[in-house]
Amino acid sequence: MTYPILPIIDRQTGQVQFKAEGHWHIRYAADPLRLERLLARCARRPIFDPATSNLLLVVPAIADPAGKKFAFSLAKFPSNGALTKLGS
Protein backbone atom coordinates (compact mmCIF):
# COMPACT_ATOMS: atom_id res chain seq x y z
CA MET A 1 0.00 0.00 0.00
CA THR A 2 1.29 3.48 -0.84
CA TYR A 3 0.59 6.76 0.95
CA PRO A 4 0.40 10.34 -0.39
CA ILE A 5 2.62 12.49 1.81
CA LEU A 6 3.98 16.01 2.16
CA PRO A 7 7.60 15.64 3.32
CA ILE A 8 9.71 18.03 5.36
CA ILE A 9 13.30 18.03 4.08
CA ASP A 10 16.45 19.09 5.94
CA ARG A 11 18.89 20.22 3.26
CA GLN A 12 22.05 19.72 5.30
CA THR A 13 21.43 16.31 6.85
CA GLY A 14 19.20 14.84 4.13
CA GLN A 15 16.59 13.98 6.73
CA VAL A 16 13.08 13.56 5.32
CA GLN A 17 10.16 13.61 7.76
CA PHE A 18 6.55 12.86 6.93
CA LYS A 19 3.35 11.64 8.51
CA ALA A 20 1.74 8.41 7.24
CA GLU A 21 -0.78 6.16 8.94
CA GLY A 22 -1.01 8.61 11.83
CA HIS A 23 2.71 8.32 12.72
CA TRP A 24 5.73 10.48 11.94
CA HIS A 25 8.45 8.72 9.94
CA ILE A 26 12.08 9.76 9.53
CA ARG A 27 14.12 8.66 6.52
CA TYR A 28 17.21 9.97 4.75
CA ALA A 29 17.76 11.00 1.12
CA ALA A 30 21.15 10.96 -0.60
CA ASP A 31 20.43 14.14 -2.62
CA PRO A 32 18.10 16.37 -0.58
CA LEU A 33 18.60 19.45 -2.81
CA ARG A 34 17.48 17.59 -5.95
CA LEU A 35 14.54 16.14 -4.04
CA GLU A 36 13.53 19.62 -2.90
CA ARG A 37 13.76 21.07 -6.44
CA LEU A 38 11.67 18.27 -7.93
CA LEU A 39 9.18 18.43 -5.08
CA ALA A 40 8.59 22.12 -5.83
CA ARG A 41 7.67 21.19 -9.43
CA CYS A 42 5.46 18.16 -8.65
CA ALA A 43 2.13 17.83 -10.43
CA ARG A 44 0.62 16.01 -7.44
CA ARG A 45 1.50 14.93 -3.90
CA PRO A 46 4.47 12.57 -3.65
CA ILE A 47 3.72 8.93 -2.87
CA PHE A 48 5.66 6.90 -0.30
CA ASP A 49 5.87 3.14 -0.83
CA PRO A 50 6.87 1.50 2.47
CA ALA A 51 7.50 -1.88 0.78
CA THR A 52 10.38 -0.42 -1.27
CA SER A 53 11.07 2.68 0.86
CA ASN A 54 10.79 4.80 -2.29
CA LEU A 55 9.38 8.30 -2.56
CA LEU A 56 7.71 8.64 -5.97
CA LEU A 57 7.36 12.05 -7.63
CA VAL A 58 5.60 13.02 -10.87
CA VAL A 59 6.90 16.19 -12.54
CA PRO A 60 5.23 17.78 -15.60
CA ALA A 61 7.24 17.35 -18.80
CA ILE A 62 6.93 18.74 -22.32
CA ALA A 63 5.14 16.33 -24.68
CA ASP A 64 4.39 13.93 -21.84
CA PRO A 65 0.89 14.45 -20.41
CA ALA A 66 1.43 11.83 -17.70
CA GLY A 67 4.58 13.61 -16.50
CA LYS A 68 8.03 12.26 -15.80
CA LYS A 69 8.38 9.93 -12.82
CA PHE A 70 11.22 10.08 -10.32
CA ALA A 71 11.90 7.69 -7.46
CA PHE A 72 14.06 8.56 -4.46
CA SER A 73 15.24 5.73 -2.27
CA LEU A 74 14.87 6.76 1.36
CA ALA A 75 17.11 5.06 3.92
CA LYS A 76 15.98 4.28 7.42
CA PHE A 77 18.74 4.44 9.99
CA PRO A 78 18.32 3.03 13.48
CA SER A 79 17.98 5.62 16.18
CA ASN A 80 21.11 5.90 18.25
CA GLY A 81 21.00 6.01 21.98
CA ALA A 82 23.05 8.58 23.80
CA LEU A 83 26.72 8.12 23.02
CA THR A 84 27.69 9.65 26.34
CA LYS A 85 25.86 10.01 29.59
CA LEU A 86 25.95 13.22 31.55
CA GLY A 87 26.98 12.88 35.15
CA SER A 88 28.50 9.42 34.85
Short mmCIF file of all heavy atoms in Angstrom, two decimals, residues 18-58:
data_model
loop_
_atom_site.label_atom_id
_atom_site.label_comp_id
_atom_site.label_asym_id
_atom_site.label_seq_id
_atom_site.Cartn_x
_atom_site.Cartn_y
_atom_site.Cartn_z
N PHE A 18 7.91 12.80 7.45
CA PHE A 18 6.55 12.86 6.93
C PHE A 18 5.63 12.04 7.82
O PHE A 18 6.07 11.17 8.57
CB PHE A 18 6.48 12.35 5.48
CG PHE A 18 7.04 10.96 5.30
CD1 PHE A 18 6.23 9.85 5.42
CD2 PHE A 18 8.38 10.79 5.02
CE1 PHE A 18 6.75 8.58 5.25
CE2 PHE A 18 8.91 9.52 4.84
CZ PHE A 18 8.08 8.41 4.97
N LYS A 19 4.34 12.34 7.71
CA LYS A 19 3.35 11.64 8.51
C LYS A 19 2.57 10.69 7.60
O LYS A 19 2.07 11.10 6.56
CB LYS A 19 2.40 12.63 9.16
CG LYS A 19 1.55 12.06 10.25
CD LYS A 19 0.81 13.16 10.98
CE LYS A 19 0.09 12.59 12.18
NZ LYS A 19 -0.61 13.64 12.92
N ALA A 20 2.51 9.42 7.98
CA ALA A 20 1.74 8.41 7.24
C ALA A 20 1.15 7.45 8.26
O ALA A 20 1.81 7.08 9.23
CB ALA A 20 2.63 7.67 6.25
N GLU A 21 -0.07 7.05 8.04
CA GLU A 21 -0.78 6.16 8.94
C GLU A 21 -0.85 6.70 10.37
O GLU A 21 -0.81 5.94 11.33
CB GLU A 21 -0.15 4.77 8.95
CG GLU A 21 -0.19 4.04 7.64
CD GLU A 21 0.35 2.64 7.77
OE1 GLU A 21 1.55 2.49 8.11
OE2 GLU A 21 -0.42 1.71 7.53
N GLY A 22 -0.90 8.00 10.51
CA GLY A 22 -1.01 8.61 11.83
C GLY A 22 0.28 8.68 12.63
O GLY A 22 0.26 9.06 13.79
N HIS A 23 1.41 8.30 12.03
CA HIS A 23 2.71 8.32 12.72
C HIS A 23 3.72 9.12 11.91
O HIS A 23 3.69 9.11 10.68
CB HIS A 23 3.25 6.90 12.90
CG HIS A 23 2.36 6.03 13.70
ND1 HIS A 23 2.23 6.12 15.08
CD2 HIS A 23 1.53 5.03 13.33
CE1 HIS A 23 1.37 5.23 15.49
NE2 HIS A 23 0.91 4.55 14.45
N TRP A 24 4.63 9.78 12.61
CA TRP A 24 5.73 10.48 11.94
C TRP A 24 6.83 9.47 11.61
O TRP A 24 7.17 8.63 12.42
CB TRP A 24 6.29 11.59 12.82
CG TRP A 24 5.42 12.80 12.79
CD1 TRP A 24 4.46 13.15 13.68
CD2 TRP A 24 5.42 13.81 11.79
NE1 TRP A 24 3.85 14.31 13.30
CE2 TRP A 24 4.43 14.75 12.14
CE3 TRP A 24 6.16 14.02 10.63
CZ2 TRP A 24 4.16 15.87 11.37
CZ3 TRP A 24 5.89 15.15 9.85
CH2 TRP A 24 4.90 16.05 10.24
N HIS A 25 7.37 9.58 10.40
CA HIS A 25 8.45 8.72 9.94
C HIS A 25 9.65 9.59 9.60
O HIS A 25 9.50 10.70 9.11
CB HIS A 25 8.02 7.94 8.69
CG HIS A 25 6.84 7.06 8.93
ND1 HIS A 25 6.97 5.76 9.36
CD2 HIS A 25 5.51 7.28 8.80
CE1 HIS A 25 5.78 5.22 9.48
NE2 HIS A 25 4.86 6.13 9.16
N ILE A 26 10.83 9.06 9.86
CA ILE A 26 12.08 9.76 9.53
C ILE A 26 12.89 8.84 8.63
O ILE A 26 13.17 7.70 8.97
CB ILE A 26 12.88 10.12 10.79
CG1 ILE A 26 12.06 11.06 11.68
CG2 ILE A 26 14.21 10.76 10.42
CD1 ILE A 26 12.70 11.35 13.02
N ARG A 27 13.28 9.38 7.48
CA ARG A 27 14.12 8.66 6.52
C ARG A 27 15.20 9.63 6.05
O ARG A 27 15.19 10.81 6.38
CB ARG A 27 13.31 8.18 5.32
CG ARG A 27 12.17 7.24 5.63
CD ARG A 27 12.68 5.87 6.02
NE ARG A 27 11.64 4.87 6.07
CZ ARG A 27 10.85 4.65 7.11
NH1 ARG A 27 10.95 5.40 8.17
NH2 ARG A 27 9.94 3.68 7.08
N TYR A 28 16.12 9.14 5.25
CA TYR A 28 17.21 9.97 4.75
C TYR A 28 17.34 9.83 3.24
O TYR A 28 17.25 8.73 2.71
CB TYR A 28 18.53 9.59 5.44
CG TYR A 28 18.51 9.94 6.90
CD1 TYR A 28 17.99 9.06 7.84
CD2 TYR A 28 18.96 11.18 7.35
CE1 TYR A 28 17.93 9.39 9.18
CE2 TYR A 28 18.91 11.50 8.70
CZ TYR A 28 18.39 10.61 9.60
OH TYR A 28 18.33 10.93 10.93
N ALA A 29 17.57 10.97 2.56
CA ALA A 29 17.76 11.00 1.12
C ALA A 29 19.21 11.34 0.82
O ALA A 29 19.82 12.17 1.50
CB ALA A 29 16.84 12.05 0.48
N ALA A 30 19.76 10.72 -0.22
CA ALA A 30 21.15 10.96 -0.60
C ALA A 30 21.34 12.34 -1.24
O ALA A 30 22.39 12.95 -1.09
CB ALA A 30 21.62 9.87 -1.56
N ASP A 31 20.33 12.85 -1.94
CA ASP A 31 20.43 14.14 -2.62
C ASP A 31 19.23 15.02 -2.25
O ASP A 31 18.29 15.17 -3.03
CB ASP A 31 20.49 13.91 -4.14
CG ASP A 31 20.87 15.15 -4.91
OD1 ASP A 31 20.96 16.25 -4.29
OD2 ASP A 31 21.08 15.05 -6.13
N PRO A 32 19.26 15.61 -1.04
CA PRO A 32 18.10 16.37 -0.58
C PRO A 32 17.81 17.62 -1.41
O PRO A 32 16.66 18.01 -1.56
CB PRO A 32 18.45 16.74 0.86
CG PRO A 32 19.92 16.64 0.95
CD PRO A 32 20.33 15.58 -0.04
N LEU A 33 18.83 18.25 -2.00
CA LEU A 33 18.60 19.45 -2.81
C LEU A 33 17.84 19.12 -4.08
O LEU A 33 16.91 19.84 -4.48
CB LEU A 33 19.92 20.14 -3.13
CG LEU A 33 20.65 20.74 -1.92
CD1 LEU A 33 21.98 21.34 -2.35
CD2 LEU A 33 19.78 21.77 -1.24
N ARG A 34 18.19 18.02 -4.73
CA ARG A 34 17.48 17.59 -5.95
C ARG A 34 16.05 17.20 -5.59
O ARG A 34 15.11 17.55 -6.31
CB ARG A 34 18.20 16.42 -6.60
CG ARG A 34 17.55 15.98 -7.89
CD ARG A 34 18.43 15.01 -8.64
NE ARG A 34 17.83 14.67 -9.89
CZ ARG A 34 17.39 13.45 -10.20
NH1 ARG A 34 17.53 12.46 -9.34
NH2 ARG A 34 16.83 13.22 -11.36
N LEU A 35 15.88 16.51 -4.49
CA LEU A 35 14.54 16.14 -4.04
C LEU A 35 13.70 17.38 -3.80
O LEU A 35 12.55 17.45 -4.23
CB LEU A 35 14.63 15.29 -2.77
CG LEU A 35 13.31 14.93 -2.09
CD1 LEU A 35 12.37 14.19 -3.02
CD2 LEU A 35 13.58 14.11 -0.83
N GLU A 36 14.26 18.38 -3.17
CA GLU A 36 13.53 19.62 -2.90
C GLU A 36 13.14 20.33 -4.19
O GLU A 36 12.01 20.80 -4.33
CB GLU A 36 14.39 20.54 -2.03
CG GLU A 36 13.69 21.82 -1.64
CD GLU A 36 14.57 22.73 -0.82
OE1 GLU A 36 15.79 22.80 -1.08
OE2 GLU A 36 14.03 23.38 0.09
N ARG A 37 14.06 20.41 -5.15
CA ARG A 37 13.76 21.07 -6.44
C ARG A 37 12.64 20.35 -7.18
O ARG A 37 11.74 20.99 -7.73
CB ARG A 37 15.02 21.14 -7.30
CG ARG A 37 15.97 22.25 -6.91
CD ARG A 37 17.02 22.50 -7.97
NE ARG A 37 17.85 21.33 -8.21
CZ ARG A 37 18.98 21.04 -7.57
NH1 ARG A 37 19.42 21.86 -6.64
NH2 ARG A 37 19.66 19.96 -7.85
N LEU A 38 12.70 19.02 -7.24
CA LEU A 38 11.67 18.27 -7.93
C LEU A 38 10.34 18.33 -7.19
O LEU A 38 9.28 18.39 -7.80
CB LEU A 38 12.11 16.82 -8.14
CG LEU A 38 13.23 16.63 -9.15
CD1 LEU A 38 13.72 15.19 -9.14
CD2 LEU A 38 12.79 17.04 -10.54
N LEU A 39 10.39 18.34 -5.88
CA LEU A 39 9.18 18.43 -5.08
C LEU A 39 8.44 19.73 -5.35
O LEU A 39 7.21 19.77 -5.41
CB LEU A 39 9.54 18.31 -3.59
CG LEU A 39 8.40 18.18 -2.61
CD1 LEU A 39 7.60 16.91 -2.88
CD2 LEU A 39 8.93 18.16 -1.20
N ALA A 40 9.19 20.81 -5.55
CA ALA A 40 8.59 22.12 -5.83
C ALA A 40 7.87 22.12 -7.18
O ALA A 40 6.96 22.93 -7.39
CB ALA A 40 9.67 23.20 -5.79
N ARG A 41 8.26 21.23 -8.09
CA ARG A 41 7.67 21.19 -9.43
C ARG A 41 6.65 20.06 -9.61
O ARG A 41 6.13 19.87 -10.70
CB ARG A 41 8.78 21.02 -10.46
CG ARG A 41 9.73 22.19 -10.51
CD ARG A 41 10.88 22.02 -11.48
NE ARG A 41 10.50 21.35 -12.71
CZ ARG A 41 11.28 20.48 -13.36
NH1 ARG A 41 12.46 20.18 -12.89
NH2 ARG A 41 10.87 19.92 -14.47
N CYS A 42 6.36 19.33 -8.55
CA CYS A 42 5.46 18.16 -8.65
C CYS A 42 4.08 18.54 -9.14
O CYS A 42 3.55 19.59 -8.80
CB CYS A 42 5.31 17.49 -7.29
SG CYS A 42 6.54 16.26 -6.99
N ALA A 43 3.49 17.64 -9.93
CA ALA A 43 2.13 17.83 -10.43
C ALA A 43 1.10 17.37 -9.40
O ALA A 43 -0.04 17.79 -9.44
CB ALA A 43 1.95 17.05 -11.73
N ARG A 44 1.50 16.48 -8.50
CA ARG A 44 0.62 16.01 -7.44
C ARG A 44 1.46 15.63 -6.23
O ARG A 44 2.68 15.65 -6.28
CB ARG A 44 -0.22 14.83 -7.91
CG ARG A 44 0.59 13.67 -8.40
CD ARG A 44 -0.34 12.56 -8.89
NE ARG A 44 0.44 11.45 -9.37
CZ ARG A 44 0.39 10.97 -10.60
NH1 ARG A 44 -0.40 11.53 -11.47
NH2 ARG A 44 1.13 9.95 -10.95
N ARG A 45 0.78 15.27 -5.14
CA ARG A 45 1.50 14.93 -3.90
C ARG A 45 2.40 13.72 -4.14
O ARG A 45 2.02 12.78 -4.83
CB ARG A 45 0.52 14.61 -2.79
CG ARG A 45 -0.17 15.86 -2.26
CD ARG A 45 -1.12 15.51 -1.17
NE ARG A 45 -0.38 15.32 0.07
CZ ARG A 45 -0.95 15.19 1.24
NH1 ARG A 45 -2.26 15.20 1.35
NH2 ARG A 45 -0.24 15.04 2.32
N PRO A 46 3.58 13.73 -3.54
CA PRO A 46 4.47 12.57 -3.65
C PRO A 46 3.84 11.36 -2.97
O PRO A 46 3.04 11.50 -2.04
CB PRO A 46 5.73 12.99 -2.93
CG PRO A 46 5.57 14.41 -2.56
CD PRO A 46 4.17 14.81 -2.77
N ILE A 47 4.24 10.19 -3.41
CA ILE A 47 3.72 8.93 -2.87
C ILE A 47 4.88 8.17 -2.21
O ILE A 47 5.95 8.02 -2.81
CB ILE A 47 3.14 8.05 -4.01
CG1 ILE A 47 2.05 8.80 -4.77
CG2 ILE A 47 2.65 6.72 -3.47
CD1 ILE A 47 0.79 9.00 -4.01
N PHE A 48 4.66 7.72 -0.98
CA PHE A 48 5.66 6.90 -0.30
C PHE A 48 5.22 5.44 -0.34
O PHE A 48 4.08 5.11 0.00
CB PHE A 48 5.84 7.34 1.16
CG PHE A 48 6.81 6.49 1.92
CD1 PHE A 48 8.16 6.51 1.61
CD2 PHE A 48 6.38 5.65 2.92
CE1 PHE A 48 9.06 5.71 2.29
CE2 PHE A 48 7.26 4.86 3.63
CZ PHE A 48 8.61 4.88 3.31
N ASP A 49 6.12 4.58 -0.78
CA ASP A 49 5.87 3.14 -0.83
C ASP A 49 6.71 2.48 0.25
O ASP A 49 7.92 2.33 0.11
CB ASP A 49 6.24 2.60 -2.21
CG ASP A 49 5.92 1.12 -2.36
OD1 ASP A 49 5.44 0.51 -1.39
OD2 ASP A 49 6.16 0.60 -3.45
N PRO A 50 6.10 2.08 1.38
CA PRO A 50 6.87 1.50 2.47
C PRO A 50 7.51 0.15 2.13
O PRO A 50 8.52 -0.22 2.71
CB PRO A 50 5.87 1.35 3.61
CG PRO A 50 4.53 1.52 3.02
CD PRO A 50 4.69 2.22 1.71
N ALA A 51 6.95 -0.57 1.17
CA ALA A 51 7.50 -1.88 0.78
C ALA A 51 8.89 -1.73 0.16
O ALA A 51 9.78 -2.54 0.40
CB ALA A 51 6.57 -2.59 -0.18
N THR A 52 9.08 -0.66 -0.62
CA THR A 52 10.38 -0.42 -1.27
C THR A 52 11.15 0.73 -0.65
O THR A 52 12.29 0.97 -1.03
CB THR A 52 10.18 -0.12 -2.77
OG1 THR A 52 9.38 1.05 -2.90
CG2 THR A 52 9.52 -1.29 -3.48
N SER A 53 10.51 1.48 0.25
CA SER A 53 11.07 2.68 0.86
C SER A 53 11.43 3.74 -0.19
O SER A 53 12.40 4.47 -0.05
CB SER A 53 12.30 2.33 1.72
OG SER A 53 12.56 3.39 2.61
N ASN A 54 10.59 3.81 -1.24
CA ASN A 54 10.79 4.80 -2.29
C ASN A 54 9.78 5.94 -2.16
O ASN A 54 8.62 5.71 -1.81
CB ASN A 54 10.63 4.18 -3.67
CG ASN A 54 11.84 3.41 -4.10
OD1 ASN A 54 12.93 3.62 -3.58
ND2 ASN A 54 11.67 2.51 -5.03
N LEU A 55 10.24 7.14 -2.46
CA LEU A 55 9.38 8.30 -2.56
C LEU A 55 9.22 8.58 -4.05
O LEU A 55 10.20 8.81 -4.75
CB LEU A 55 10.01 9.50 -1.86
CG LEU A 55 9.18 10.77 -1.82
CD1 LEU A 55 7.86 10.54 -1.08
CD2 LEU A 55 9.96 11.89 -1.16
N LEU A 56 7.99 8.51 -4.55
CA LEU A 56 7.71 8.64 -5.97
C LEU A 56 7.16 10.02 -6.27
O LEU A 56 6.17 10.44 -5.66
CB LEU A 56 6.72 7.56 -6.40
CG LEU A 56 7.10 6.14 -5.99
CD1 LEU A 56 5.94 5.19 -6.23
CD2 LEU A 56 8.34 5.68 -6.72
N LEU A 57 7.78 10.72 -7.23
CA LEU A 57 7.36 12.05 -7.63
C LEU A 57 6.99 12.04 -9.10
O LEU A 57 7.61 11.34 -9.90
CB LEU A 57 8.50 13.06 -7.45
CG LEU A 57 9.19 13.12 -6.09
CD1 LEU A 57 10.37 14.06 -6.15
CD2 LEU A 57 8.23 13.56 -5.03
N VAL A 58 5.98 12.84 -9.47
CA VAL A 58 5.60 13.02 -10.87
C VAL A 58 5.73 14.50 -11.19
O VAL A 58 5.07 15.34 -10.58
CB VAL A 58 4.16 12.53 -11.14
CG1 VAL A 58 3.80 12.78 -12.59
CG2 VAL A 58 4.02 11.06 -10.78
#
